[in-house]
Amino acid sequence: MSKCIASSENTSTGAQTIEEIRSRKQALRKEIRGLLKELRPEDVSLESKQVWERLFALPVYKNAKSVGLFLSMPKGEIKTDEALNQVVLDGKTLYVPRVGLDFEKCDMDFVQVQLNDNAGKEIGRSFFYKSWPRNKWGIPEPPVPKEGEMITNAKPGDIDLLVVPGCAFDKCGNRLGHGKGYYDRFIAKMRGPVEHSHKPVLVAVGLSPQLLGGDFENTDDVPVVPTSDHDFRMDVVLSPQRTVVLKADNDMNCGEMK
């Protein structure tokens, strides 16, 4: 098991400034996005399938009654189509993100998906969100409810397992987002009250270039994501080749890899 190095200690010169950490994050985003562009569409499809197989095999997924899961961007990200439908077929309550109401706030809610009784029968022929409006990133979002319609936003304790996207992850559960802070703010809201501090379980997912050091085992030289105080550490990290389960009782050790 390898040792994680906190971002403030991960240089030979000692503690880093906020600007230095921000600069390292921007450089890593540029690097990872370049690697993702090199993946062929068929590679993305195959790797996405491999990641979801790992997710569905997790006991924490099997035991979850509710799942928060994002809808993927048109490109440059793991595909979530099949995963969304599998969550529905597994009979779990599904929550999906909506950020389109106020982009300036960089805030996000997760909305419970309401499906009719025949949704499961139609799942293989028509994805339930294909008719939803798309936000400025081309991602489908639940439509604004019409007058008289009810909508359920997730509250602390509602989501058992939250699938978290990002730009890069490491074996210690650190996550590099895309720079807007949507997920950090949402996780902070969900984990705020003490009685819900264990929920949701955070499962990060990404394609092969996104797990730093993913090809190395049993080494003390573990690449790490630069982090700030507001960044949340993941409980599980999934890549096509690795399942990394972090130990909650020792936040300085890297997770067990499978």
Side-chain angles (χ1 to χ4, degrees):
M1 184 174 290
S2 306
K3 203 74 168 177
C4 286
I5 303 175
S7 63
S8 60
E9 301 172 350
N10 195 25
T11 64
S12 59
T13 57
Q16 299 176 84
T17 66
I18 294 176
E19 287 302 321
E20 287 171 335
I21 294 174
R22 183 179 292 118
S23 177
R24 289 183 61 212
K25 286 184 174 183
Q26 291 172 344
L28 183 55
R29 287 190 186 101
K30 183 177 180 180
E31 177 186 351
I32 297 300
R33 287 167 180 165
L35 293 173
L36 289 172
K37 287 181 180 179
E38 297 178 3
L39 292 178
R40 300 171 301 173
E42 54 266 36
D43 296 329
V44 174
S45 296
L46 175 60
E47 291 198 359
S48 298
K49 180 180 179 181
Q50 292 170 332
V51 169
W52 300 129
E53 288 174 349
R54 290 181 176 276
L55 174 68
F56 301 140
L58 291 174
V60 70
Y61 172 81
K62 295 177 180 180
N63 295 330
K65 294 182 179 179
S66 55
V67 175
L69 178 56
F70 62 99
L71 284 77
S72 49
M73 296 186 292
K75 59 182 179 179
E77 187 172 54
I78 186 172
K79 296 300 180 184
T80 58
D81 290 347
E82 297 297 335
L84 288 160
N85 289 323
Q86 188 61 51
V87 171
V88 173
L89 288 173
D90 287 341
K92 300 181 186 299
T93 301
L94 174 63
Y95 290 85
V96 298
R98 183 172 66 186
V99 300
L101 296 183
D102 193 343
F103 287 107
E104 298 303 320
K105 289 177 60 179
C106 287
D107 201 9
M108 174 176 69
D109 289 313
F110 267 69
V111 178
Q112 182 178 338
V113 176
Q114 303 286 352
L115 298 174
N116 60 47
D117 293 339
N118 293 322
K121 299 177 182 178
E122 300 296 325
I123 215 73
R125 295 190 291 273
S126 177
F127 294 112
F128 60 85
Y129 51 85
K130 291 300 184 182
S131 62
W132 287 359
R134 294 176 179 265
N135 62 26
K136 68 177 184 178
W137 298 291
I139 303 172
E141 291 196 345
V144 176
K146 299 177 182 178
E147 185 176 354
E149 290 183 343
M150 297 294 293
I151 189 169
T152 302
N153 289 337
K155 304 181 299 298
D158 283 348
I159 300 177
D160 294 331
L161 184 151
L162 180 64
V163 181
V164 185
C167 187
F169 312 94
D170 63 31
K171 298 176 187 177
C172 304
N174 296 312
R175 168 185 176 269
L176 176 67
H178 293 287
K180 297 296 184 180
Y182 285 106
Y183 274 85
D184 287 316
R185 292 185 183 90
F186 179 74
I187 294 168
K189 287 192 298 185
M190 293 298 102
R191 285 191 166 182
V194 174
E195 64 268 25
H196 299 303
S197 60
H198 65 292
K199 295 177 66 174
V201 175
L202 306 178
V203 180
V205 295
L207 303 172
S208 53
Q210 296 178 274
L211 177 59
L212 305 187
D215 294 334
F216 302 98
E217 296 187 32
N218 300 320
T219 174
D220 290 330
D221 186 19
V222 181
V224 295
V225 168
T227 59
S228 305
D229 291 341
H230 63 268
D231 294 323
F232 281 88
R233 186 171 287 183
M234 303 292 103
D235 300 307
V236 181
V237 179
L238 302 178
S239 77
Q241 298 83 18
R242 295 284 185 266
T243 296
V244 185
V245 180
L246 280 300
K247 292 188 176 182
D249 60 345
N250 191 342
D251 64 1
M252 288 303 292
N253 279 327
C254 293
E256 178 184 354
M257 295 200 310
K258 300 178 181 179

